[in-house]
Amino acid sequence: MTPAPLAPLARRRRLARLALAWEAIWPAIWPALGVLGVFLTFALLGIPLLLPGWLRMLIAAGFFAGFVVALRHGLRGFRWPGDDPADRRLERESGLDHRPLATLTDKPAGDDPLAQAVWQVHRDRVLSNVRRLRVGLPRPGLAKRDPIALRAALGLSLLASLVVAGPEAPERLRRAFAGEVAMPAAPPPMRLEAWITPPAYTAAAPVFLDPAGGEASVPAGSRLQVALSGGTGGVPELQTGNTVSAFRALDTRSFGAEAVLDHGARLVIRRDGSEVAAWTLTVQADQPPRASFTEAPGRALRGLAIRLPWQVQDDWGAVSLNAEIRLKARPDAPPHVVEIPLPAQARDARGVSAPDLSAHPWAGLEVEILLRARDGAEQEGVSAAAPLTLPERSFTHPVAQALIALRKALSLDPTARAEARRALDGLAAAPEAFEHDTTTYLALRAARHRLTRDRRPEAVTEAQEIMWETALALEEGRAERTARALQQAREELRQALQEAQRQMEEQRNGEREERNAEQRSETERRIQELRDAIRRHLEAMAERLQQENAEAMPFDPQNRLMDRRDLDRRTDRMREANRQDRPEDAERELAELEEMLRALEEGRSARNEQQERRRQQRQRGEQQMGVVQDMVQRQTRMLDSGHRRAEAETQRREAERRAEQAQRRSPWNRQTPEQQQQQQQQRAEAEQQAQAEANREARVQRALRRALGEVMQQFGDLTGEVPPQLGRADQAMREAQDQLMDGGDARDAQQRAIRELVEGARQMAQQMQRQFGQQEGEGEGEGEESGEMMGEGQGEGEGQDQAQNQGDGRDPLGRRTREAPGAQDNGSDTRVPDEAELLRTRRLQEELRKRGAERERPQDELDYIDRLLRRF
C-alpha cells in the first residue's frame, strides 16, 4: 500500500504519464486523421454520387488503406511512459534541479546511524515539496510539423461540407461506401389516417383524429375508419375497449379497419405488441326530439283554417313533424295526421301551420291535437294534447244542412247506419226541397246504397264524402263546383310539372328514363283533365249567365279572354312542351293560362291607365336595380382581380426571399451577373404588366362611377329620393380609382363600394315597395297566410318583397347562406346541396382516403389523390 505522503505523488505521476502519452500519440495519429478528414469532406460534398459504383468502392478502399497505413506508421515504436520519465517531467515543470524525486527510491550505502538520520531529514524535505509539483499542459509540438497550418484548412473544409450537406449528411456518407452491392430498400415511412364519419342524419362533417393521439366526442352510431400503410411489422390490431380486431389487408403494406361506435371507449392501434396510436372517444347519445305548442291551437283569423303554432327541438335536427288529430268522442278512432313541413336540420325551429280541415268529416266536432316529431335515429317525441273544435262551413240550403248534420252523426257513431239510411230516404222522398235536381237525387240514393250494401268500415267515409259533395253542390251551384274542380286540376298539374322538373335534375341512369316516361304520361293526363275542367267551367258560367238573364261578357280584342281557341292552343303548347321534356315551358304556359282564367272569372277587360303607368314606373325602377346589381358583379370581379395581383406579388416576393436565403446558405447557389440581370428584367416586366392592368381597371372604375351617377339621377327623378348608400358607393369608387392610378391597393375601397351598392339596392327596393306597392298578380292576402305557414326563419314581412332579402344570413350579393334561417331563397342562383349530394361527397372522400392508403399505387396517382383530398 502506498504511504499517505506518497499518494499525491502517485496522482501527479499518472497525470504526467498521460501528458507524455498525448504528446507522443497526437503527432503520430495526425496523418491518419488527416486522411479521414479528407475522405469525409469528399463524401459530404456529394462527389461520390457523381461517380459509378465500382469507382466509389475503389476510392473508399484507397482512403481506408491510407488511413490504416498512416495510423500504423505513426504508432510504430510507441511505448507507454514509465515512472522515471514522469518524474523527470514533474521535476522539469516544477523547476527542481538534481532530480530530487530520485531520493524517494534511493537508500544510503552504509548503516551509520548518523548517515541514516541525515538521509531521513533529506527525504522528509523532498516529501514536503511533493504538493507543489506541477504537471503542465501537453505540448505535442504539432505546429513544428505543420508550419503552414494545413490542419486548420482541413477543419474549415470539413465544417463547410457539413453545412452544405445539411440533413442529407448521413445519407451522403452512406452512399459514399455504397457501390455495386445491392442495398436493401428502406421501408416507406408509416402513415396513419383515422377519421370518424357521423351518422347521415346528423349532417355533421367527418372528424379527423390526430395520429399523435388525443380526445374526441362523436355522436352515437358513428363509423370509425382507420388506414395504416408503410412501416415494418405484421398486421396491426384495433382495440376498442375490450374488443380486439385485426386490420384487413388492402395490399402487402396497407391495412384498413372499420368499427361502429355505440359507446365511449379508449381506442388503441397496436402493431407487433407496441402501441402505434391511442385516442379517448366520448360518444354522445342521441336524445329524442321535443315537440310542443308555443300557443294554444285555435281558429285562424281569416278563413276556415286552424292555427297550429309549433316548436320542435332536437340535438341533431328533426326530420318530420306531424299533427295528430283525434276525435274526442271516439278516442279509439284512427287519428287524422297533418304533415307539417320542416326546414333542413331543424334543431330549434318554430312556426305556424294553418291546415284547412273544414271539409273533414270531423268539422264542427271537438278534437284533441298533439304533435309528434321524429329525428334521423327514428326516435319520437310527443307533445301534450290540446283541445279544439274544428271550424266548419255554414250552409243555408236546408237539404245541405241536413246532409251535414247526418255526416257529423256518422262521425260520432259509425254504427248508426240504419238511422242514416232512414234520414236519406226522407230527403229523397221530398224532391221539391232540392228543386227536383236529378243529380242530387242520384247522389242521395248512392249514399243510401253504400250504407246498406257495403259492410266495409270504409263505406261510411265514402258515404260521408258523397254527402259533402252533394251539400256543396246544393249550396254553391254548378259554377262554383266547376270552379273548384278547375282550381284542383290547376294545382295537380302544377305539382306534376314541379315533380317532372325535380326529377330531370337528378343524376341517375337506369331509373331515370322509366321515371321520366311515367311522369310524362302523368303530366299528359293532368293537362287533359285541366282542359276538360276549363270546358266544363265555361259551360257552367254560360248557364249561370243564362239563368240570371244577363248579357254575355264582352269580347276583349287586346286580351282575347273569351277566345276558346286561344285557351285550347295554350293547352296544346303545354302538351307539346311536356312531350319534349320542357316542364319549365309548360309551367310558364300554365301561369299565362291561369292569368287568362283569373281575368275571365273576375270579368276584367283591360287595365286602366293608372295601373299601366305604375307598372311602367316599377319596370323602370327594376331596370335601375338590375343596373346596380350588375355593378356589384363587375365591382366584385375587379376585387377578385386585385386579390389575384396581390397574391401574385406576394408569391414573387416569397420566391425572391427563398432564393436569397439559399444563396446565403451555400455559395454554390449564387447567381451569375447574367442571371441577376435577367431576373431584374422579369421583375420589371411583371411590375409593368401589373401597372397596365391597374390602369385598365382604373378606366373601368371611372366608367362604373359615371353609370352609377346616371342611375342615381334617374332613380331620383322616378322616386324623388336617392339612397345615401349610393352616394357613399360613389365616393368609395372614386378612392378606388385614385389608388389604381397611383399603383396602390384599392381592395379596401372596392369592398366598401360593394357593401354600399348592396345596401343601396335594398333601399331602392324598399322605396319602390312603398311607392308602387306589389306587382300585379300578387294576391293581397297571400303574405299573411304564407307567413303563418312558414317557420320563424321565414318571418312575417319576408314574403312582402323579395328585394328586401338583404341583411343577416346573406352574403354581400344578397344571396342566402346555409346558416340563414329557413335556408331557402327562390330568388338566388345559388343551389344548396341536398342531403343526397352531401352523402355522395362523403363517400367519395372515404374512397379517396382508402386508395391513398394503398401506398403501392403509382406515385403520380397518390399525389393526385392527395391534391383532391386537400381540396375537400
Side-chain angles (χ1 to χ4, degrees), residues 11 70 76 98 113 226 308 333 343 353 355 361 384 400 404 409 450 456 521 581 638 688 731 766-767 824 857 862:
R11 289 194 296 270
R76 185 175 55 188
H98 309 296
V226 183
L308 301 177
S353 179
I404 295 301
R450 188 66 58 87
R456 295 178 301 116
S521 175
D581 289 336
M638 293 177 62
Q688 185 178 3
Q731 181 179 0
Q766 291 180 354
Q767 291 181 18
Q824 294 181 358
R857 292 179 176 271
L862 293 177

Side-chain angles (χ1 to χ4, degrees), residues 516-533:
N516 285 345
E518 294 177 359
Q519 185 64 32
R520 194 182 302 113
S521 175
E522 177 68 13
T523 307
E524 185 79 11
R525 186 175 65 83
R526 298 295 185 187
I527 294 175
Q528 184 61 37
E529 290 179 355
L530 176 63
R531 188 168 185 169
D532 296 340

Side-chain angles (χ1 to χ4, degrees), residues 210-229:
D210 188 357
E215 299 179 355
S217 179
V218 295
S222 300
R223 185 159 53 95
L224 168 70
Q225 293 177 282
V226 183
L228 189 146
S229 61

Side-chain angles (χ1 to χ4, degrees), residues 106-138:
D106 290 344
K107 294 180 179 180
D111 296 331
D112 184 12
L114 181 60
Q116 291 287 344
V118 174
W119 183 258
Q120 185 61 37
V121 172
H122 177 65
R123 180 182 176 87
D124 293 340
R125 188 181 301 147
V126 172
L127 289 177
S128 64
N129 294 328
V130 167
R131 297 184 182 278
R132 294 197 299 269
L133 294 176
R134 292 186 298 111
V135 179
L137 295 176

Side-chain angles (χ1 to χ4, degrees), residues 611-851:
Q611 291 178 338
E612 182 66 21
R613 183 169 58 254
R614 291 171 65 87
R615 183 183 66 82
Q616 293 178 357
Q617 289 176 347
R618 188 179 185 93
Q619 289 180 353
R620 289 173 53 193
E622 290 176 350
Q623 291 176 358
Q624 294 167 4
M625 289 177 57
V627 173
V628 174
Q629 293 176 357
D630 181 69
M631 288 181 182
V632 172
Q633 296 178 1
R634 300 184 67 179
Q635 192 72 53
T636 303
R637 289 196 293 269
M638 293 177 62
L639 179 61
D640 294 340
S641 178
H643 284 312
R644 287 194 297 270
R645 287 199 307 273
E647 184 177 359
E649 181 65 19
T650 302
Q651 292 178 355
R652 184 181 63 81
R653 293 180 178 178
E654 182 66 19
E656 292 179 355
R657 185 183 64 81
R658 288 197 299 266
E660 292 177 357
Q661 292 179 352
Q663 292 178 12
R664 288 195 298 267
R665 285 197 303 266
S666 174
W668 302 97
N669 296 327
R670 293 181 179 176
Q671 295 180 347
T672 62
E674 293 78 6
Q675 292 176 342
Q676 294 178 357
Q677 184 178 3
Q678 183 180 3
Q679 185 177 3
Q680 293 176 358
Q681 292 178 356
Q682 293 176 356
R683 185 187 303 115
E685 292 177 359
E687 293 176 354
Q688 185 178 3
Q689 183 178 2
Q691 185 61 38
E693 185 176 358
N695 293 336
R696 180 184 61 80
E697 291 187 357
R699 293 191 295 269
V700 176
Q701 190 73 71
R702 183 171 59 251
L704 286 178
R705 279 193 60 211
R706 293 177 180 175
L708 179 60
E710 295 178 359
V711 169
M712 294 169 62
Q713 181 180 0
Q714 294 176 4
F715 192 78
D717 296 340
L718 181 64
T719 62
E721 183 180 359
V722 179
Q725 291 82 0
L726 298 183
R728 292 195 291 268
D730 179 80
Q731 181 179 0
M733 287 183 177
R734 183 174 65 249
E735 295 178 5
Q737 176 185 344
D738 296 339
Q739 291 172 353
L740 288 173
M741 293 297 296
D742 296 338
D745 189 359
R747 289 179 294 175
D748 183 63
Q750 290 173 344
Q751 290 177 352
R752 285 190 286 108
I754 293 174
R755 289 196 298 268
E756 298 297 342
L757 286 174
V758 172
E759 183 64 22
R762 190 179 69 85
Q763 294 295 330
M764 292 171 66
Q766 291 180 354
Q767 291 181 18
M768 291 177 57
Q769 178 67 23
R770 289 193 298 267
Q771 294 193 13
F772 306 125
Q774 295 176 333
Q775 297 186 16
E776 295 186 16
E778 296 180 359
E780 294 179 357
E782 297 176 357
E784 182 178 349
E785 294 293 335
S786 62
E788 291 182 348
M789 292 294 293
M790 290 185 299
E792 198 177 61
Q794 298 169 327
E796 295 103 1
E798 183 175 324
Q800 295 179 358
D801 193 351
Q802 294 294 338
Q804 298 183 19
N805 289 337
Q806 308 284 346
D808 294 339
R810 294 183 176 270
D811 62 7
L813 298 182
R815 301 172 297 194
R816 281 180 180 252
T817 61
R818 292 187 62 179
E819 293 76 12
Q824 294 181 358
D825 188 9
N826 297 330
S828 172
D829 58 353
T830 301
R831 186 174 65 86
V832 179
D834 55 13
E835 185 176 355
E837 292 178 343
L838 294 175
L839 183 58
R840 287 196 296 270
T841 302
R842 291 178 183 171
R843 289 176 179 174
L844 286 175
Q845 291 177 353
E846 294 176 2
E847 183 63 25
L848 287 174
R849 294 191 186 96
K850 289 180 180 178
R851 297 189 180 185

Side-chain angles (χ1 to χ4, degrees), residues 419-433:
E419 293 80 355
R421 184 176 65 251
R422 288 192 292 270
L424 290 174
D425 289 340
L427 293 175
E432 63 278 2

